[in-house]
Amino acid sequence: MEFVSRYVSHPPDADGFVVYSPEEHGTWTLLFERQMKLIPGRACDEFIQGLQKLALTGDAIPQLPDVNRHLLALTGWQVAPVAALISARAFFELLANRRFPSATFIRTREELNYVQEPDIFHEIFGHCPLLTNPIFADFVHVYAKNVLELPESDWPLLQRLFWFTVEFGLIQTASGLRAYGGGILSSIHETVYSVESDVPLRALFDPVTAFRVPYRIDKLQCVYFVIESYQQLYDFMATDVQALMARARTLGEYPPFFPVEKNNPSIHIDALGYAHRT
């Protein structure tokens, strides 16, 4: 079953600006204000500082040229407008050039609490604040460059690692457990659940273990990986990533912590490929 987008991105004008409707701006305001009530004590300090550095507010949907002006000065990153869905190669090529892709649509009120595809709130509010942190921004850049140097047969595992870090990562700080993943911090449910619930498993970040854990995108996560610092992620990219993936394939995939429904595109299992089924 192939996922088909229900959204269409707005084309920017020659200067990169998009005309949004009052309803779309209102959706941003609602999403922004309710997340701002949730993130104190749950989001990492670098995320909250990033919101301030980017001058994000709930007044209206941010225009990408305005976001880019701040990002470029801080870490050399830019946000690139894209269609609702892009290929994995296009995604990694953008990241490898310090350009974070963002669709220029915002979710409807009917999908306010959960949207299956990343909208501009997820990308700008969820991801861009941490791209103001030099070490984390460099990690994402180096990660994408390394992905492009490896065969596409390795990409599912590397996408899995992206999921458990950039999207749904936690970090242990002097003040306690905090979220840094954009998928967490743009979600009304995951923001609280990821750091406070006693239901999910939280494991210290280990690449081989992360490579072996299936996930699904349409439910609260069953497993979160906890890093000690962003330098830990950056340093991982300097290791023999292929050897770690080979080790994961030898050990095989962990059983899913969730029900497996046949032909459900929201379930990401079997990323280890044939090796664990020999």
Side-chain angles (χ1 to χ4, degrees), residues 17 19 29 42 91 93 152 157 170 179 251 256:
F17 290 86
V19 176
T29 299
R42 300 184 178 106
F91 177 75
E93 287 177 345
E152 291 193 20
L157 280 185
L170 299 177
L251 295 171

Side-chain angles (χ1 to χ4, degrees), residues 86-125:
I86 61 173
S87 69
R89 179 166 292 279
F91 177 75
F92 291 133
E93 287 177 345
L94 284 169
L95 296 184
N97 286 286
R98 292 185 179 267
R99 292 168 62 82
F100 201 90
S102 176
T104 53
F105 69 86
I106 196 164
R107 69 195 71 178
T108 64
R109 296 295 175 98
E110 291 75 24
E111 294 189 317
L112 196 66
N113 291 340
Y114 172 74
V115 59
Q116 189 168 349
E117 53 196 297
D119 67 345
I120 195 168
F121 183 78
H122 170 82
E123 306 292 24
I124 300 300
F125 184 93

Side-chain angles (χ1 to χ4, degrees), residues 212-261:
R212 300 173 63 199
V213 177
Y215 67 91
R216 60 186 298 170
I217 69 172
D218 60 343
K219 294 184 180 297
L220 294 169
Q221 297 301 296
C222 300
V223 180
Y224 298 95
F225 287 92
V226 183
I227 63 172
E228 298 175 355
S229 68
Y230 305 116
Q231 188 68 43
Q232 182 183 5
L233 293 177
Y234 184 84
D235 290 345
F236 158 67
M237 298 312 304
T239 63
D240 189 342
V241 176
Q242 283 187 297
L244 295 175
M245 289 191 290
R247 178 60 177 164
R249 291 189 176 100
T250 298
L251 295 171
E253 202 155 65
Y254 288 111
F257 287 87
F258 47 78
V260 176
E261 304 152 19

Side-chain angles (χ1 to χ4, degrees), residues 13-273:
D13 65 19
D15 296 317
F17 290 86
V18 171
V19 176
Y20 294 101
S21 69
E23 181 180 2
E24 289 171 316
H25 285 302
T27 298
W28 171 275
T29 299
L30 180 58
L31 290 167
F32 185 93
E33 290 180 349
R34 72 182 192 179
Q35 285 304 110
M36 290 301 291
K37 294 176 182 177
L38 294 176
I39 61 174
R42 300 184 178 106
C44 61
D45 289 343
E46 294 82 2
F47 178 86
I48 295 174
Q49 293 164 4
L51 288 172
Q52 298 167 349
K53 291 175 181 177
L54 295 178
L56 297 182
T57 71
D59 296 342
I61 298 174
Q63 294 291 346
L64 297 192
D66 296 329
V67 176
N68 286 341
R69 187 174 64 255
H70 297 293
L71 265 182
L72 185 62
L74 290 164
T75 58
W77 274 79
Q78 298 272 271
V79 183
V82 297
L85 294 173
I86 61 173
S87 69
R89 179 166 292 279
F91 177 75
F92 291 133
E93 287 177 345
L94 284 169
L95 296 184
N97 286 286
R98 292 185 179 267
R99 292 168 62 82
F100 201 90
S102 176
T104 53
F105 69 86
I106 196 164
R107 69 195 71 178
T108 64
R109 296 295 175 98
E110 291 75 24
E111 294 189 317
L112 196 66
N113 291 340
Y114 172 74
V115 59
Q116 189 168 349
E117 53 196 297
D119 67 345
I120 195 168
F121 183 78
H122 170 82
E123 306 292 24
I124 300 300
F125 184 93
H127 283 298
C128 286
L130 214 58
L131 288 175
T132 66
N133 178 271
I135 298 174
F136 184 81
D138 285 347
F139 156 67
V140 177
H141 175 232
V142 173
Y143 160 85
K145 289 180 65 177
N146 284 12
V147 170
L148 292 170
E149 293 173 357
L150 295 173
E152 291 193 20
S153 58
D154 286 336
W155 288 11
L157 280 185
L158 294 163
Q159 288 171 305
R160 180 176 283 184
L161 189 78
F162 190 93
W163 181 264
F164 285 124
T165 56
V166 178
E167 290 289 355
F168 286 91
L170 299 177
I171 184 169
Q172 188 65 50
T173 75
S175 301
L177 192 65
R178 297 290 186 268
Y180 71 90
I184 296 175
L185 294 169
S186 59
S187 166
I188 186 174
H189 298 305
E190 206 101 24
T191 299
V192 178
Y193 176 86
S194 65
V195 296
E196 296 181 9
S197 173
D198 60 0
V199 173
L201 173 67
R202 299 179 185 89
L204 295 178
F205 175 71
D206 174 74
V208 173
T209 303
F211 285 144
R212 300 173 63 199
V213 177
Y215 67 91
R216 60 186 298 170
I217 69 172
D218 60 343
K219 294 184 180 297
L220 294 169
Q221 297 301 296
C222 300
V223 180
Y224 298 95
F225 287 92
V226 183
I227 63 172
E228 298 175 355
S229 68
Y230 305 116
Q231 188 68 43
Q232 182 183 5
L233 293 177
Y234 184 84
D235 290 345
F236 158 67
M237 298 312 304
T239 63
D240 189 342
V241 176
Q242 283 187 297
L244 295 175
M245 289 191 290
R247 178 60 177 164
R249 291 189 176 100
T250 298
L251 295 171
E253 202 155 65
Y254 288 111
F257 287 87
F258 47 78
V260 176
E261 304 152 19
K262 187 177 181 181
N263 298 325
N264 185 340
S266 297
I267 298 176
H268 292 255
I269 58 175
D270 294 328
L272 293 177

